[in-house]
């Protein structure tokens, strides 16, 4: 594994982890995580593919998060990395990272051979954060960042209250939640600033796989369905028995879904769907 670097449009240095050899996958992680969180998926793919995992700028330790942080900034970061890679590139994004990936593809569709988007929380017919994001921002301003993240997980991501409470009660849980608060809240607010509606993606004719888990929060699956109805070259793939964090709970199954898409758009081959996947 090596470190890959690129310079974004505003001069910010973007770093990535670079593994494997072969056709290129560019992976954009979700909120509250780092590129390393996809290690299990990456290990299954690097025998046949080059996998470049970006570290999103707001989640790098010590990052300064600008009040003007936007999805457009993250899309520019993705395009900076993609521009330094050999084509063709399959762009893979998870959660809010998939939102940024979709916006990057809209700006420069010729940069990518296809898209693999795992539950992008796009504001298709409603905002993602809305009032809950404002309550989380108020908690952060009042000096309670752990409560801000609890609101984000419980009322925006819509994880069960029991799971959120367990995260907070775990050793170091409060500190971990507090450390994540500024970036996660900025992430949600940036997505909401896109505004409601996705009609602009009707002209994005890239081959696209939209992945959902059948145990994911209902609003994420609804947003996937709304996107699928607009994107002209999209299919929805359901990962049976898993939710929004299959990169942790089912890395081999998720890697197989990515592999099938990569073989279709990068090397022109496809294998039948494996058990647990349906389209």
């Amino acid at each position: 594994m090596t470190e890959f670097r690129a310079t974004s449009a505003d001069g910010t240095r973007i770093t990535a982890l670079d593994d494997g050899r072969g056709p290129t996958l560019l992976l954009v992680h979700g909120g509250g995580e780092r590129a390393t969180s996809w290690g299990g998926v990456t290990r299954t793919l690097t025998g046949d593919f080059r996998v470049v995992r970006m570290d999103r700028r707001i989640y790098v330790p010590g990052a300064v998060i600008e009040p003007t942080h936007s999805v457009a900034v993250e899309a520019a970061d993705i395009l900076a990395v993609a521009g330094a890679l050999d084509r063709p590139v399959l762009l893979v994004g998870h959660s809010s990272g998939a939102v940024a990936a979709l916006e990057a593809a809209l700006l420069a569709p010729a940069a990518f051979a296809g898209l693999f988007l795992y539950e992008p929380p796009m504001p298709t017919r409603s905002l993602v954060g809305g009032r809950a994001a404002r309550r989380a921002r108020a908690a952060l301003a009042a000096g309670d960042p752990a409560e801000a993240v609890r609101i984000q997980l419980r009322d925006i991501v819509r994880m069960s209250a029991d799971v959120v409470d367990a995260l907070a009660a775990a050793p170091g849980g409060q500190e971990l939640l507090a450390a994540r608060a500024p970036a996660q809240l900025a992430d949600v607010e940036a997505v909401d600033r896109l505004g409601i509606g996705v009609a602009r993606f009707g002209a994005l004719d890239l081959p696209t796989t939209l992945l959902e888990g059948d145990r994911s929060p209902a609003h994420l699956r609804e947003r996937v369905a709304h996107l699928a109805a607009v994107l002209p070259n999209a299919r929805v793939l359901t990962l049976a028995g898993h939710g929004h964090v299959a990169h942790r709970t089912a890395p081999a199954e998720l890697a197989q879904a990515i592999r099938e898409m990569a073989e279709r758009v990068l090397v022109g081959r496809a294998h039948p769907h494996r058990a647990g996947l349906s389209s």
Side-chain angles (χ1 to χ4, degrees):
M1 180 175 65
T2 60
E3 187 176 83
F4 182 93
R5 294 187 179 186
T7 302
S8 194
D10 65 358
T12 300
R13 296 285 282 174
I14 307 301
T15 61
L17 302 178
D18 191 353
D19 296 271
R21 301 179 71 179
T24 304
L25 314 179
L26 174 56
L27 196 152
V28 188
H29 65 81
E33 296 192 309
R34 298 285 306 279
T36 52
S37 66
W38 280 66
V41 175
T42 299
R43 283 189 291 274
T44 306
L45 294 168
T46 50
D48 300 297
F49 299 96
R50 180 187 183 188
V51 183
V52 178
R53 292 173 282 164
M54 286 180 53
D55 257 332
R56 295 170 61 192
R57 65 165 68 192
I58 61 173
Y59 291 109
V60 173
V64 176
I65 301 171
E66 301 292 340
T68 56
H69 179 72
S70 67
V71 175
V73 166
E74 296 215 41
D77 294 349
I78 292 169
L79 292 176
V81 176
L85 299 173
D86 294 332
R87 295 185 183 178
V89 174
L90 173 63
L91 182 57
V92 179
H94 174 226
S95 196
S96 58
V99 172
L102 190 53
E103 293 289 339
L106 186 63
L107 289 171
F112 307 105
L115 303 173
F116 186 99
L117 307 174
Y118 179 9
E119 294 182 340
M122 290 291 298
T124 53
R125 298 182 185 176
S126 62
L127 295 176
V128 176
R131 292 179 180 177
R134 292 193 289 274
R135 288 192 287 109
R137 176 61 67 183
L140 186 61
D144 193 350
E147 176 60 17
V149 176
R150 280 195 292 268
I151 293 170
Q152 193 262 345
L153 295 176
R154 185 186 62 234
D155 301 335
I156 299 175
V157 179
R158 303 185 199 178
M159 293 171 62
S160 74
D162 289 345
V163 171
V164 175
D165 289 345
L167 289 172
Q174 290 285 344
E175 293 78 6
L176 181 60
L177 293 180
R180 290 176 174 178
Q184 289 197 260
L185 188 52
D187 204 354
V188 170
E189 291 170 337
V191 170
D192 273 359
R193 281 196 292 271
L194 292 171
I196 295 171
V198 289
R200 65 190 182 280
F201 296 112
L204 185 59
D205 196 27
L206 283 172
T208 302
T209 293
L210 293 165
L211 183 74
E212 63 178 5
D214 65 358
R215 295 186 180 179
S216 292
H219 79 102
L220 290 175
R221 300 189 69 184
E222 289 167 3
R223 295 177 196 278
V224 164
H226 299 159
L227 269 175
V230 171
L231 289 165
N233 193 4
R235 63 169 185 160
V236 176
L237 193 63
T238 301
L239 190 60
H242 297 283
H244 193 56
V245 291
H247 59 299
R248 295 183 180 276
T249 61
E253 290 177 62
L254 179 52
Q256 178 58 31
I258 295 170
R259 178 183 295 276
E260 289 173 357
M261 179 63 172
E263 289 174 339
R264 184 159 66 94
V265 302
L266 296 181
V267 295
R269 296 183 287 116
H271 293 298
H273 296 318
R274 303 298 173 88
L277 296 174
S278 61
S279 61

